[in-house]
């Protein structure tokens, strides 16, 4: 895995620092950020995603809250086509 540091929340203290990296082999983002609260997770589950898809969050997944200021570090693809989900 070849990771590239993309950014850390501006004016961050020494701890409690949302950070984002890019896996250059897969294009995946690795995000260190705040855990969503129980209320936020519940709200996400109430909204859902696609019809018939479970709203449960599996043990190997989590919902992370990324501060708005961190969006500047998310790479934008020049190709606007939608990729197939990885399995």
């Amino acid at each position: 895995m070849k990771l590239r540091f993309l950014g850390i929340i501006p004016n961050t203290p020494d701890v409690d620092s949302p950070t984002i990296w890019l896996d250059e082999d897969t294009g995946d983002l690795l995000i260190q950020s705040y855990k969503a609260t129980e209320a936020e997770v519940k709200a996400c589950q109430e909204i859902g995603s696609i019809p018939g898809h479970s709203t449960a969050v599996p043990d190997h997944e989590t919902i992370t809250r990324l501060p708005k200021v961190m969006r500047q570090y998310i790479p934008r693809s020049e190709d606007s086509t939608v990729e197939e989900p990885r399995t």
Side-chain angles (χ1 to χ4, degrees):
M1 175 183 339
K2 183 178 178 189
L3 294 181
R4 178 168 39 112
F5 169 78
L6 296 178
I8 191 166
I9 201 165
N11 302 317
T12 187
D14 291 343
V15 296
D16 191 35
S17 309
T19 308
I20 190 167
W21 301 266
L22 172 69
D23 181 331
E24 293 186 333
D25 294 332
T26 66
D28 291 348
L29 296 175
L30 287 87
I31 299 172
Q32 172 188 329
S33 193
Y34 307 110
K35 291 181 181 179
T37 65
E38 287 184 35
E40 291 166 334
V41 171
K42 184 177 178 184
C44 290
Q45 291 172 322
E46 288 173 358
I47 296 295
S49 57
I50 59 173
H53 194 276
S54 172
T55 60
V57 180
D59 288 342
H60 67 279
E61 296 180 2
T62 190
I63 295 177
T64 302
R65 174 176 285 281
L66 187 68
K68 181 179 177 180
V69 68
M70 294 296 291
R71 292 182 2 200
Q72 66 184 312
Y73 300 117
I74 296 175
R76 304 288 184 235
S77 173
E78 292 178 20
D79 180 9
S80 62
T81 61
V82 176
E83 294 183 21
E84 290 296 317
R86 292 187 349 177
T87 56

